[in-house]
Amino acid sequence: MTMTVGGASAASTTAPAPLGRRLALLGAVFVVCVGLPFLFLSEDGPRWYHLVFHLLGIALCAGGVVALRGVRRAAVSRALRVMTWVSTVAMTGWVIGHLGELATVLTHGGAHADHDLFQHPVHLFFATIAVPSWAATVLSLLVLLITAGVQAIIRRVRR
């Protein structure tokens, strides 16, 4: 920040984007996090759905962590910063599960892997990491978005 002649501060040209835009992006990540498993993990789908699910999941987690970093940097309260850390840890667990499951899928047929792969011990191990991490990601993002919304309403009322 720079100081103007009157002593008021002026924002620099490299100021981060407003928190609202970052929360909107995080809301989109939340919607995709909720819907992704339901779209791709049906027993009736083609075999390649499983591979695509893990590839999209890894990309989603990477984008989510970047979006959470942006929200954490622009957050105006400690509660939001703490919730971004909780969501980041949960999303990191989810990406670890995705990476392990993807490695199992790739070593057992790739896009042509049978549905029996869901019962493979290594796949099951990483699924026990991924599924709770997915649930924690969804819940923590929901709490984060609700907290940010309530704080925005309170700030408007106080003006």
Side-chain angles (χ1 to χ4, degrees), residues 110-132:
H112 304 290
D114 290 333
H115 290 292
D116 296 337
L117 182 65
F118 286 107
Q119 300 306 319
H120 190 276
V122 176
H123 190 274
L124 285 174
F125 171 75
F126 283 106
T128 60
I129 296 170
V131 173

Side-chain angles (χ1 to χ4, degrees), residues 18-75:
L19 182 61
R21 285 190 209 144
R22 293 169 190 238
L23 288 171
L25 175 63
L26 202 56
V29 168
F30 170 76
V31 169
V32 175
C33 281
V34 170
L36 189 67
F38 297 108
L39 291 173
F40 282 96
L41 293 182
S42 68
E43 290 287 327
D44 301 333
R47 292 179 178 181
W48 55 268
Y49 268 23
H50 194 178
L51 178 69
V52 171
F53 167 70
H54 291 304
L55 291 172
L56 289 175
I58 291 167
L60 176 67
C61 289
V65 168
V66 170
L68 284 164
R69 181 174 176 246
V71 170
R72 184 173 36 258
R73 291 168 66 210

Side-chain angles (χ1 to χ4, degrees), residues 100-152:
E101 289 183 66
L102 178 65
T104 306
V105 169
L106 290 175
T107 58
H108 289 86
H112 304 290
D114 290 333
H115 290 292
D116 296 337
L117 182 65
F118 286 107
Q119 300 306 319
H120 190 276
V122 176
H123 190 274
L124 285 174
F125 171 75
F126 283 106
T128 60
I129 296 170
V131 173
S133 296
W134 169 76
T137 297
V138 168
L139 289 174
S140 64
L141 286 176
L142 182 63
V143 170
L144 172 68
L145 292 169
I146 290 171
T147 301
V150 168
Q151 287 182 355

